[in-house]
Amino acid sequence: MLVGFLPDQAATFTAVGRAELALSDVDAAVKAFEKAKELDARSLDEPKAMSAFARALVSSKRAADAAPLYRALVPRASLLPDRERPLVYLRAAHALMAHAAEKPEDAKADLADAAAYLAEARTDTASSMFGEVLLSQALVFDRGGEPAKAN
């Protein structure tokens, strides 16, 4: 990771994290985002940065760490461009489903939140992910013990 410009600034590491994620170097992205957070606790409060960090965590098999980020991100989703919101809701739901599988004691709350996020994503019927949202909703309902709603 190259950080020659403003190496003591959290924004530098946030930008590097986003770039590394775009280049599919998930481990380097997570390290950069964690360094940004270490330098400034609020460095990833901007919705696009928070979304990128959460995606990097999920990609590195750390759904339990991504779940609280997505819980914080979803209420801020209105600050994202319209075309990105359904994807954020879908990713948030998937992260919470993975977290529910990892931590059964939190499963009920995770699945309820995931269902709410998917319901919000479903309101965008023009989204290219509409089918994935429907399938994810069926999975959430099935995992949540409501198979009749999954049909």
Side-chain angles (χ1 to χ4, degrees), residues 1 10 12-37 44 49 51-60 62:
M1 167 173 40
T12 301
F13 288 94
T14 300
V16 168
R18 291 174 72 177
E20 295 289 6
L21 183 61
L23 294 170
S24 299
D25 190 344
V26 177
D27 294 332
V30 169
K31 285 179 187 172
F33 287 129
E34 288 175 339
K35 179 65 176 177
K37 197 81 166 158
L44 301 175
S51 177
F53 185 31
R55 278 191 359 250
L57 288 171
V58 168
S59 295
S60 64
R62 292 174 53 188

Side-chain angles (χ1 to χ4, degrees), residues 33-101:
F33 287 129
E34 288 175 339
K35 179 65 176 177
K37 197 81 166 158
E38 177 186 312
L39 291 170
D40 179 359
R42 297 188 52 153
S43 63
L44 301 175
D45 285 356
E46 188 271 322
K48 283 191 175 194
M50 189 181 293
S51 177
F53 185 31
R55 278 191 359 250
L57 288 171
V58 168
S59 295
S60 64
K61 310 285 189 257
R62 292 174 53 188
D65 294 332
L69 282 174
Y70 275 118
R71 280 199 169 93
L73 175 61
V74 166
R76 300 174 188 178
S78 64
L79 300 172
L80 295 169
D82 291 344
R83 69 182 189 289
E84 290 182 28
R85 285 183 213 144
L87 183 57
V88 165
Y89 295 136
L90 183 64
R91 286 179 176 155
H94 287 176
L96 290 177
M97 285 189 283
H99 185 251

Side-chain angles (χ1 to χ4, degrees), residues 97-118:
M97 285 189 283
H99 185 251
E102 290 177 16
K103 302 206 182 243
E105 65 275 9
D106 298 334
K108 187 173 182 172
D110 285 341
L111 294 174
D113 287 346
Y117 299 163
L118 291 167

